[in-house]
Amino acid sequence: MDYKYIDQLLERYWNGETTLEEEEILRAFFSQIDIPREMEAFRPLFLYEQVERKSNKLGDEFDDKVFAAIDEPTTVKAHTVTLATRLMPLFRAAAIVAIILTLGNAAQVAFNNESDYNANMATVEQTVQGTTVALAKDSTVVDSMKQSNLQATPIEMVTPTTN
């Protein structure tokens, strides 16, 4: 058989020049049982719409659900913003600044020069009267050499008097 007209329609179809009637002719041709072997590869393209029309149809209940969802009134809830909520970022920033200042102060004390520390300890040792308790690195040597001028005093028993 001569399929010259179908070849011409296919050529126009690939160029996008066919009308809806001509595309319907192509669909009818490819829906036949016997078609030439060289055109067998195009069959699923033209039969796709027929198969999909039957299997992929949305029902009327889908349309009803969509229209019902569109018509439903939506309520908008107002969100009240309190003063504490508005100032929360400022509270957080103040807490961060306080933490940074505290850590900076602790680091400053920890990294003071050793000479400042020893000078301060010497001042403390001079102000303390009597036996000192390990105030500096060498204080244990100094303490063991000092003699205590404290004397043991006897503990007097105080008896409560009854009236």
Side-chain angles (χ1 to χ4, degrees):
M1 253 187 137
D2 190 21
Y3 296 104
K4 199 182 248 186
Y5 179 66
I6 299 298
D7 285 334
Q8 289 174 355
L9 283 180
L10 280 173
E11 187 65 37
R12 290 185 63 209
Y13 181 79
W14 299 129
N15 292 333
E17 299 170 351
T18 56
T19 62
L20 293 176
E21 292 82 20
E22 292 171 337
E23 289 178 13
E24 191 61 40
I25 291 171
L26 287 171
R27 282 189 209 98
F29 173 76
F30 284 106
S31 64
Q32 297 175 11
I33 296 173
D34 294 328
I35 60 172
R37 216 172 255 239
E38 63 269 2
M39 294 184 186
E40 190 71 36
F42 304 126
R43 177 176 268 187
L45 178 69
F46 291 101
L47 295 181
Y48 175 76
E49 287 183 12
Q50 293 174 355
V51 173
E52 285 299 313
R53 273 190 215 153
K54 295 176 186 173
S55 64
N56 254 355
K57 186 170 187 243
L58 295 175
D60 290 334
E61 70 267 354
F62 176 78
D63 292 337
D64 294 338
K65 287 180 183 178
V66 170
F67 288 134
I70 292 172
D71 292 336
E72 282 183 9
T74 56
T75 58
V76 178
K77 294 182 180 178
H79 181 69
T80 58
V81 179
T82 62
L83 183 62
T85 306
R86 283 188 179 181
L87 295 178
M88 191 59 68
L90 293 176
F91 293 152
R92 289 180 180 160
I96 290 171
V97 168
I99 290 171
I100 289 173
L101 289 176
T102 303
L103 291 176
N105 192 17
Q108 183 179 9
V109 169
F111 294 123
N112 273 346
N113 291 337
E114 195 66 30
S115 61
D116 292 342
Y117 179 74
N118 289 337
N120 288 338
M121 286 299 119
T123 307
V124 169
E125 285 179 5
Q126 289 173 358
T127 58
V128 174
Q129 310 246 331
T131 309
T132 59
V133 178
L135 294 176
K137 291 180 191 176
D138 299 331
S139 65
T140 56
V141 175
V142 173
D143 285 344
S144 63
M145 296 178 153
K146 286 185 178 178
Q147 293 183 357
S148 177
N149 56 2
L150 295 176
Q151 298 177 359
T153 57
I155 300 175
E156 299 177 1
M157 297 286 288
V158 178
T159 56
T161 57
T162 55
N163 291 335

